[in-house]
Amino acid sequence: MILGLDLGGTKLLAARVDDDGALVETRRWPTGRALSPAHFLELLGEVARWAGPVRAAGLGFPGLVDAGRGHARSSVMLDGWRDVPIATQAEAVLGVPIRVDNDVNAAALAELHVRRRAGEQVDDLVLVALGTGIGGAVVLDGRLHRGRAGLAGEIGHVVVEATHGPPCRCGRRGCLGALAPGEIFLGGLENGPAERAVEALGQGLASVLNVLDPGLLVLGGGVVDRLEGLVARVADATRRAAMAEIGADVRIERAIAGAAAGAWGAALLAVAAPAGGLSR
Ligand SMILES: [Zn+2]
């Protein structure tokens, strides 16, 4: 058995995943942004008692991660997490090796896994998580592409309106995350702000597709789950904005790995090759 953990701004979701990579059981613990590393480690003791014996564990963290060293570098969703050597600390609680990665990276690994199990021939995909903010992950040749500093896939900071766009928490203007935050869709899709956000998403995602040509763009996250029709609209806007050849060919689909994707993928990460790949 493998333990997967998905830490978010409001909850810790744990998953028990068997040695064939199948999701067995999940459990949710409510948390909040005040959850400090010390509180997390306390909670982890409780999770370990629920999970029973496991041979490895993985953690998806909502922020910047140094996956090589197992450090949580920072998070905009959790207070007090700055360059925390969380892998070493969690290993001391769990007694098994633990891998740490960004939560959207973990979800992308689950998405790859689920699609392959369903018989899809997929090696490359871009996952975009639309929630309060926008997260992204890139899988190339069946492996997570983390980049030199682990920052690859920060699609929420693709700039679409540099001059007149709203300020972003990164200090610049007109980032995708600032133009299309989740709350803009609370009133549905049939209004000006939501329509402009969809167009902005199309512009930003088209740039990503033009650079990577992944063949598959997957949209997930809480906003996609709540809003019927959003994927079709974003897909349409993205195709219109992309290079014609890329827009015509790319599949743009809703994520299929489900609400436990982050925890499931974190477990897969724990037993994946060190580079974050899944064997076929
Ligand atoms: Zn930004």
Side-chain angles (χ1 to χ4, degrees):
M1 200 63 66
I2 313 156
L3 174 63
L5 302 161
D6 181 18
L7 181 58
T10 58
K11 57 102 184 64
L12 173 66
L13 186 71
R16 295 171 72 235
V17 172
D18 73 16
D19 289 350
D20 293 326
L23 184 64
V24 176
E25 193 183 355
T26 63
R27 186 164 162 188
R28 189 178 188 279
W29 281 265
T31 61
R33 68 171 306 126
L35 182 86
S36 67
H39 286 136
F40 170 74
L41 292 168
E42 267 176 40
L43 190 54
L44 199 53
E46 207 177 303
V47 174
R49 284 190 289 282
W50 166 78
V54 295
R55 65 184 175 95
L59 168 66
F61 178 76
L64 302 184
V65 170
D66 182 336
R69 290 193 302 159
H71 284 205
R73 293 175 56 187
S74 65
S75 174
V76 295
M77 299 175 83
L78 297 171
D79 296 331
W81 291 72
R82 189 150 287 278
D83 211 26
V84 178
I86 194 65
T88 309
Q89 296 174 353
E91 272 173 24
V93 175
L94 294 175
V96 294
I98 180 163
R99 290 244 182 90
V100 183
D101 208 323
N102 170 265
D103 55 352
V104 185
N105 277 0
L109 215 52
E111 189 70 20
L112 177 71
H113 175 74
V114 169
R115 286 174 179 268
R116 282 182 169 180
R117 278 173 91 103
E120 247 183 73
Q121 297 282 320
V122 50
D123 289 322
D124 302 341
L125 68 84
V126 170
L127 173 67
V128 176
L130 302 176
T132 313
I134 296 179
V138 178
V139 172
L140 298 174
D141 291 329
R143 301 198 311 191
L144 285 170
H145 177 75
R146 296 190 177 92
R148 184 188 61 80
L151 300 177
E154 285 291 329
I155 290 161
H157 298 286
V158 169
V159 173
V160 179
E161 282 186 40
T163 314
H164 301 294
C168 179
R169 59 181 161 75
C170 72
R172 298 174 307 155
R173 281 184 174 276
C175 292
L176 214 45
L179 285 161
E183 63 267 22
I184 222 161
F185 297 107
L186 284 178
L189 289 168
E190 309 294 340
N191 60 74
E195 283 164 5
R196 284 192 291 278
V198 165
E199 285 306 309
L201 282 168
Q203 295 286 334
L205 297 181
S207 298
V208 173
L209 296 184
N210 288 351
V211 171
L212 295 173
D213 185 17
L216 175 63
L217 171 63
V218 178
L219 303 176
V223 175
V224 169
D225 294 339
R226 276 197 309 276
L227 261 184
E228 192 67 36
L230 180 62
V231 171
R233 292 198 188 204
V234 172
D236 178 57
T238 304
R239 287 183 204 286
R240 279 189 278 108
M243 285 172 62
E245 294 83 351
I246 285 179
D249 280 352
V250 66
R251 290 188 293 140
I252 302 176
E253 298 177 2
R254 185 175 173 156
I256 60 172
W264 192 355
L268 298 170
L269 193 70
V271 290
L278 294 182
S279 55
R280 272 195 173 280

